[in-house]
């Protein structure tokens, strides 16, 4: 099977992107072809270059809310690299049904909660406020409905007494870095069986 070509979209530090890049070697069925950010200052761009992966920037600010025009530029930046799959990894722009439809069944996202719990933002604070005993992260296929696509993997962490959102986020992030590479490896082979990490 030829390698699946993976583009990774980021907005910030890109720790999940780094975990994905580091996983794609040896007998892995995928290869990274591009790391793209909507923020020219994203620290993940430096990390991607250090790891020898092509990078691109499509700054969303000049588009002033014209999401379709921004996504046309996204597509233009992606096209030369001919990705088969897109991994959203800390990508903080909401994508329209037009772009999502174009990548239906070929675009993944990692979200820091046990979906369907807590779609959207501030997931750690919400889990703490709710008095939950556990929390975690989810990798899912991206669909028109934000953070609601078919679940491809989940990892759980305990919530401990005295946890703050930052402490909990750090505990979840460790699991994200294990979960996303495991899901991508399986998904790139055409296997959609959910990965469930303890
Ligand atoms: C992580 O919490 C991830 O779940 C969310 O964005 C945060 C930062 O991710 N998608 P990264 O370090 O930029 O990969």
């Amino acid at each position: 099977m030829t390698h699946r070509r993976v583009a990774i979209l980021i907005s910030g530090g890109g720790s999940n992107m780094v975990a994905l890049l580091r996983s794609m070697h040896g007998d892995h069925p995928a290869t990274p072809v591009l790391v793209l950010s909507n923020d020219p200052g994203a620290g993940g761009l430096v990390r991607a270059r250090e790891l020898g992966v092509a990078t691109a920037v499509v700054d969303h600010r000049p588009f002033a809310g014209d999401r379709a025009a921004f996504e046309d530029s996204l597509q233009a930046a992606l096209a030369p690299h001919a990705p088969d799959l897109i991994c959203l990894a800390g990508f903080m722009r909401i994508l329209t049904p037009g772009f999502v439809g174009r990548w239906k069944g070929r675009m993944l996202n990692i979200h820091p909660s046990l979906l369907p719990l807590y779609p959207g933002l501030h997931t750690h604070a919400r889990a703490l406020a709710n008095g939950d005993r556990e929390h975690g992260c989810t990798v899912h296929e991206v669909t028109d409905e934000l953070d609601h696509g078919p679940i491809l993997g989940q990892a759980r962490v305990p919530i401990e007494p005295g946890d703050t959102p930052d402490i909990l986020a750090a505990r979840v992030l460790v699991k994200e870095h294990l979960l996303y590479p495991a899901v991508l490896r399986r998904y790139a082979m055409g296997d959609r069986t959910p990965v469930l990490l303890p």
Side-chain angles (χ1 to χ4, degrees), residues 12-17 89-90 110-112 173 176:
S15 71
N16 275 287
M17 173 272 297
I110 189 158
H111 180 77
L173 200 58
E176 292 180 34

Side-chain angles (χ1 to χ4, degrees), residues 102-125:
R102 185 181 197 128
W103 291 95
K104 187 169 176 55
R106 303 190 292 152
M107 183 156 59
L108 309 182
N109 182 48
I110 189 158
H111 180 77
S113 78
L114 294 172
L115 292 173
L117 292 174
Y118 312 122
L121 299 174
H122 312 302
T123 62
H124 313 299

Side-chain angles (χ1 to χ4, degrees), residues 6-10 17 21 32-37 44-45 48 53-57:
V6 177
I8 304 173
L9 273 52
I10 65 170
M17 173 272 297
L21 294 187
V33 294
L34 182 67
V35 171
L36 189 155
S37 178
L45 291 169
V53 178
T55 61
V57 173

Side-chain angles (χ1 to χ4, degrees), residues 64-111:
D66 184 344
R67 293 184 186 279
F70 168 63
E71 291 168 354
D72 287 346
S73 294
L74 277 187
Q75 192 59 37
L78 289 164
H81 302 273
D84 302 302
L85 300 174
I86 293 179
C87 289
L88 306 180
F91 186 68
M92 302 308 280
R93 305 303 296 170
I94 292 176
L95 296 165
T96 70
F99 189 87
V100 170
R102 185 181 197 128
W103 291 95
K104 187 169 176 55
R106 303 190 292 152
M107 183 156 59
L108 309 182
N109 182 48
I110 189 158
H111 180 77

Side-chain angles (χ1 to χ4, degrees), residues 93-163:
R93 305 303 296 170
I94 292 176
L95 296 165
T96 70
F99 189 87
V100 170
R102 185 181 197 128
W103 291 95
K104 187 169 176 55
R106 303 190 292 152
M107 183 156 59
L108 309 182
N109 182 48
I110 189 158
H111 180 77
S113 78
L114 294 172
L115 292 173
L117 292 174
Y118 312 122
L121 299 174
H122 312 302
T123 62
H124 313 299
R126 290 155 68 192
L128 288 169
N130 246 16
D132 294 353
R133 304 293 301 277
E134 68 173 4
H135 189 39
C137 50
T138 302
V139 176
H140 63 94
E141 271 190 357
V142 177
T143 60
D144 293 352
E145 195 177 356
L146 185 70
D147 300 333
H148 272 75
I151 291 176
L152 296 169
Q154 285 195 320
R156 295 171 183 273
V157 299
I159 292 180
E160 308 286 0
D163 272 351

